[in-house]
Amino acid sequence: MTRHAMLRRAPALALFAALGLLAACAAPQVERFYTLNGGAEAAPAKTAVNYYVEVLAVSVPQQVSRNQLVLTGAGGRVELLEQERWAGPLAAEIGQALSIGITGELGAIDVYRTPYPDTLPVYRVSTNVQRFESALGQYALVDAVWSVRQLASGKVLTCRSVVNEKVGAGYEALVAGHRRALGQVSQQIANSIRSFPKDGGGCNAA
């Protein structure tokens, strides 16, 4: 090929390379979705119903109240992961995980926003998640203040659960760590309902 021909083809080749680069940049990024419900950590549901519970909507810190997973870094740094997302709002994911865990532990039905017969004791559960930390390859931490109200007597038990689960590498391991942490919180709440004190005091660990 002559030098003149090469010079004539150079702009076309440059344009082709630029278009190829743009196409690569425009390729859609794959989003992955995770849930805190289900999996091997979930307690099996019991057939006998001994209690009714009302697991109210959960509150979570504003920093993590997002669709994206939020990683905790050194020095207070946080990182939002655009391609790693929760299947639903984080507060709803946590609330459902607690509901499944508590009802499975107790042999209970969650009657929140559902009519129910006045035949079994009813316990209302309120949960305020104060910290929900995700350190990739290190730990999954849940720090929650929760209360149980016995509707018949109006007595209230207020407790705090801080659960720190070590996790392996990868996002699946991180999510599994949060599932285990919420499973422990659910068990602590269930234990407190099961042995709800007459004087309304005392917290029961898992």
Side-chain angles (χ1 to χ4, degrees), residues 66-88:
R66 303 172 182 274
N67 290 333
Q68 305 98 324
L69 269 67
V70 179
L71 296 186
T72 303
R77 179 178 57 83
V78 296
E79 179 182 358
L80 273 65
L81 304 177
E82 290 298 334
Q83 273 65 58
E84 316 296 330
R85 294 173 174 262
W86 297 112

Side-chain angles (χ1 to χ4, degrees), residues 24-33 82-83 85:
C25 294
Q29 297 292 321
V30 176
E31 293 182 350
R32 288 165 290 271
F33 295 88
E82 290 298 334
Q83 273 65 58
R85 294 173 174 262

Side-chain angles (χ1 to χ4, degrees), residues 83-152:
Q83 273 65 58
E84 316 296 330
R85 294 173 174 262
W86 297 112
L90 180 59
E93 285 280 319
I94 294 173
Q96 188 175 4
L98 291 177
S99 175
I100 292 171
I102 294 167
T103 55
E105 285 286 338
L106 288 174
I109 295 177
D110 188 347
V111 294
Y112 179 52
R113 294 182 176 175
T114 304
Y116 54 87
D118 188 17
T119 55
L120 292 174
V122 184
Y123 296 87
R124 179 171 293 160
V125 179
S126 302
T127 309
N128 175 14
V129 176
Q130 299 188 332
R131 287 191 296 161
F132 188 90
E133 295 183 5
S134 306
L136 191 63
Q138 300 179 56
Y139 66 86
L141 182 144
V142 175
D143 180 354
V145 174
W146 49 269
S147 68
V148 174
R149 178 184 294 273
Q150 189 180 56
L151 295 192

Side-chain angles (χ1 to χ4, degrees), residues 19-59:
L19 290 175
L21 181 60
L22 288 173
C25 294
Q29 297 292 321
V30 176
E31 293 182 350
R32 288 165 290 271
F33 295 88
Y34 303 90
T35 181
L36 293 170
N37 305 296
E41 299 83 6
K46 298 178 181 178
T47 54
V49 177
N50 303 308
Y51 308 88
Y52 291 140
V53 296
E54 291 184 344
V55 181
L56 304 184
V58 174
S59 63

